[in-house]
Amino acid sequence: MKPAKSKITGVDCFGDSRGNYYFGRPDALIAAGLVEPDQLPGKAGMPRTSVMFVKGIQQPRTARPQHNQDWMQVAKIGSAFRVTKGVTGEESERREQTEEDEREARSRIKHDPGLSASHEAVRDASALFKVGDSVTVAGCAAVISQGYGVHRTKEKGGEYLQDDGSRSSYRLGYIIQFRNGETYFVEAWKVTDPEGAPTHLQLVGVPSVRTQRPMIALRG
């Protein structure tokens, strides 16, 4: 998921090719103008957990409207809410292309930084976060849900095909949890401490010098 451009007090904001996601307590979401009080699930006459709107008009649960700029969904998650708003077709295509470019960039063959450089980068990196530590991701407060390691992530262009038809990859990083209880995988270098200071290095490929292999004498 990509961080949304705006930061709203008390609201965690993210976006991807499908739309923008806003997580927070009802008072914060209402104060930000993202939802009206009578649009919250669980209120009298409203569905208990989730409701959709098109141009502000509530839709029946069986409706399948387009997820464009007129579409909105409000879902109750614990004591918090998630407001999802669609974007225009042009914006969705632009974001999808950006995501595809990033996937291609990750899959390109890169220059090997070398074993020594890799060891040095890991050794010089700050201490790893532990489960329960408070962190910041894209300006939003979160906690570490699962520690640093290899995690399986669902991705549109993932390397592996699962039994249910979805695609996945194995990537190194953290599982984080936002205030509303939802969890996401995040690469380690995107996680900062609560003050925003970086804590992990991002390894990048640099031109490497190929050393000559030493001669090995065969025993007679």
Side-chain angles (χ1 to χ4, degrees):
M1 299 183 74
K2 304 299 176 188
K5 295 180 180 179
S6 60
K7 295 181 181 179
I8 305 172
T9 302
V11 178
D12 294 330
C13 318
F14 277 86
D16 62 14
S17 60
R18 294 168 293 183
N20 295 324
Y21 308 85
Y22 306 91
F23 309 91
R25 302 285 183 179
D27 54 346
L29 294 167
I30 293 169
L34 295 168
V35 66
E36 298 295 331
D38 58 359
Q39 293 178 323
L40 296 174
K43 297 290 185 180
M46 296 292 286
R48 291 177 55 190
T49 58
S50 178
V51 60
M52 289 187 300
F53 299 89
V54 174
K55 293 185 176 180
I57 300 174
Q58 183 178 340
Q59 302 296 299
R61 294 184 64 87
T62 55
R64 294 292 183 270
Q66 284 189 323
H67 292 191
N68 56 23
Q69 70 275 17
D70 297 323
W71 176 86
M72 179 177 75
Q73 181 191 51
V74 186
K76 190 174 189 298
I77 305 172
S79 59
F81 289 83
R82 179 190 66 209
V83 177
T84 307
K85 295 197 173 191
V87 295
T88 64
E90 293 79 6
E91 176 63 13
S92 178
E93 291 178 1
R94 186 191 68 79
R95 294 184 184 186
E96 188 168 352
Q97 184 60 54
T98 299
E99 293 170 4
E100 179 64 27
D101 292 343
E102 291 176 350
R103 285 192 293 268
E104 289 183 2
R106 289 197 302 267
S107 65
R108 290 194 195 107
I109 297 176
K110 303 177 180 65
H111 290 292
D112 184 357
L115 185 61
S116 296
S118 297
H119 277 302
E120 184 178 353
V122 172
R123 185 172 57 251
D124 291 344
S126 300
L128 303 180
F129 291 114
K130 303 296 189 297
V131 173
D133 284 351
S134 296
V135 295
T136 299
V137 178
C140 299
V143 296
I144 299 297
S145 175
Q146 295 183 35
Y148 183 69
V150 176
H151 299 279
R152 186 170 68 185
T153 63
K154 284 191 174 183
E155 299 180 16
K156 182 178 180 180
E159 184 177 0
Y160 303 104
L161 180 65
Q162 300 300 313
D163 292 339
D164 61 0
S166 63
R167 302 284 293 274
S168 67
S169 296
Y170 289 93
R171 299 174 62 186
L172 190 61
Y174 292 98
I175 302 296
I176 62 165
Q177 184 179 60
F178 289 112
R179 287 185 296 236
N180 67 339
E182 293 197 350
T183 58
Y184 296 94
F185 167 83
V186 179
E187 293 170 307
W189 64 272
K190 295 181 180 178
V191 180
T192 66
D193 66 18
E195 284 70 44
T199 55
H200 286 269
L201 296 179
Q202 179 185 12
L203 291 180
V204 296
V206 295
S208 59
V209 178
R210 185 174 181 179
T211 58
Q212 186 175 3
R213 295 181 61 185
M215 296 295 293
I216 300 177
L218 297 178
R219 296 181 63 182

